[in-house]
Amino acid sequence: MTAPLKGTVALVTGASSGIGAATARTLAAGGASVAVLARRGDRLRALADELRADGTTTLVLESDITDRRQAEAAVERVVAELGRLDTVVNNAGVMLTGPVAEAPAQEWDRMLAVNVEGLLHVTRTALPHLIDAAQDSPRQVADLVTISSTAGRVARAGTAVYSLTKFGVTAFSESLRQELQPKRVRVGVVEPGTVDTELATHLRDGVREAVARQLGGMEKLSPQDIADAVSYMVTRDRRVAVNEMLVRAADQT
Ligand code: NDP
């Protein structure tokens, strides 16, 4: 098997389930050492055991990225314990959708805290290390990938604040892409359509059922479909920057 990421270190946030867990497995299969971050330590430890059994060096970071100090400490631990940081996948996120007029303010606070502020805490701390990695690795490149959403390209009724966060991280990434291009840090977004994960289980009663009805019998994407997109981006030769990938379920409008 080829190992295009051999010798590199990746950090995946939100790795305790869904897209993040699949991405951690995929980057590990590509040869990377992987730091997995989320709040549910039991899930992370189970994943780490699995990865270590396959020979991957793994670091568990039981952290809440909405707490700036925890986020910063987690990123610094990656570099202290694994020696470098070549790839960051900003994946942790929550989707608490529903009509704006009925929405509890706490849902908006949580989406802004995780999807935007948490991502900023992780990114700011990671950037100097990504820049260093791009300079001193044989690959001469480092990667920052953010999991945005189709809701970061198209706003629909019911997704107002979630779309606000996802349009926001896409805009942030494009600006950062331009800043970091001379430093050989590639910045990209993956914009998934509907993926079969725990994401929608956090919706409040009523909204959850409405969303399920709306999706009907649609065949959803699997977390692996998105992990494959991330892997494609970060395993390109340094001449190639894939900055945006929109991946919808084929049944999705
Ligand atoms: P999951 O709910 O399965 O995963 C979300 C992950 O985020 C979990 O690992 C969770 O871990 C972590 N997380 C949540 N809050 C925090 C926090 N405060 N600190 C650290 N980690 C946190 O959903 P998905 O895998 O679907 O979601 C991953 C990303 O993909 C999200 O950004 C989402 O918006 C995006 N996306 C998903 C789509 C879908 O249809 N599923 C479509 C488009 C985009 P823990 O609870 O253990 O902290």
Side-chain angles (χ1 to χ4, degrees):
M1 200 174 80
T2 58
L5 300 175
K6 193 168 171 356
T8 70
V9 173
L11 165 64
V12 181
T13 69
S16 60
S17 62
I19 294 168
T23 300
R25 287 189 182 98
T26 304
L27 299 182
S33 297
V34 182
V36 289
L37 183 154
R39 293 165 305 169
R40 288 172 294 176
D42 51 343
R43 297 275 203 106
L44 294 178
R45 283 185 286 276
L47 174 61
D49 287 347
E50 180 194 317
L51 298 180
R52 285 179 189 132
D54 288 337
T56 298
T57 301
T58 306
L59 176 66
V60 168
L61 301 164
E62 189 175 335
S63 310
D64 181 341
I65 60 166
T66 67
D67 179 327
R68 184 165 55 81
R69 291 210 177 116
Q70 283 190 43
E72 288 171 356
V75 175
E76 295 298 356
R77 265 192 74 195
V78 180
V79 180
E81 296 188 29
L82 301 181
R84 51 188 300 116
L85 182 55
D86 302 88
T87 308
V88 172
V89 184
N90 274 322
N91 164 75
V94 287
M95 178 191 74
L96 303 167
T97 50
V100 162
E102 299 154 20
Q106 297 90 320
E107 290 194 345
W108 296 353
D109 291 347
R110 209 168 134 215
M111 284 192 284
L112 291 166
V114 181
N115 301 3
V116 177
E117 289 174 41
L119 176 142
L120 294 179
H121 299 327
V122 170
T123 303
R124 190 187 46 243
T125 315
L127 282 183
H129 302 299
L130 290 172
I131 291 168
D132 285 351
Q135 312 310 312
D136 79 2
S137 83
R139 295 171 74 232
Q140 293 285 296
V141 73
D143 285 283
L144 176 68
V145 179
T146 289
I147 309 301
S148 181
S149 172
T150 48
R153 285 177 64 114
V154 184
R156 294 185 196 263
T159 70
V161 179
Y162 183 65
S163 278
L164 171 72
T165 67
K166 293 299 186 179
F167 270 77
V169 297
T170 298
F172 172 68
S173 300
E174 171 54 17
S175 178
L176 209 52
R177 182 189 72 75
Q178 295 173 33
E179 282 186 34
L180 295 181
Q181 180 270 329
K183 310 263 187 213
R184 291 208 164 274
V185 178
R186 296 183 293 210
V187 180
V189 290
V190 176
E191 298 154 316
T194 304
V195 189
D196 192 7
T197 69
E198 295 174 17
L199 194 72
T201 63
H202 306 297
L203 293 168
R204 64 181 181 276
D205 295 347
V207 175
R208 193 171 49 251
E209 293 73 17
V211 167
R213 267 195 307 279
Q214 209 180 344
L215 295 177
M218 190 185 86
E219 192 176 356
K220 296 175 186 169
L221 295 164
S222 75
Q224 187 61 48
D225 294 323
I226 304 307
D228 289 343
V230 174
S231 175
Y232 183 81
M233 274 184 169
V234 305
T235 54
R236 293 310 88 199
D237 183 84
R238 68 188 177 95
R239 295 169 297 110
V240 183
V242 180
N243 300 123
E244 187 173 11
M245 285 178 84
L246 174 64
V247 186
R248 288 194 177 97
D251 283 351
Q252 212 172 334
T253 52

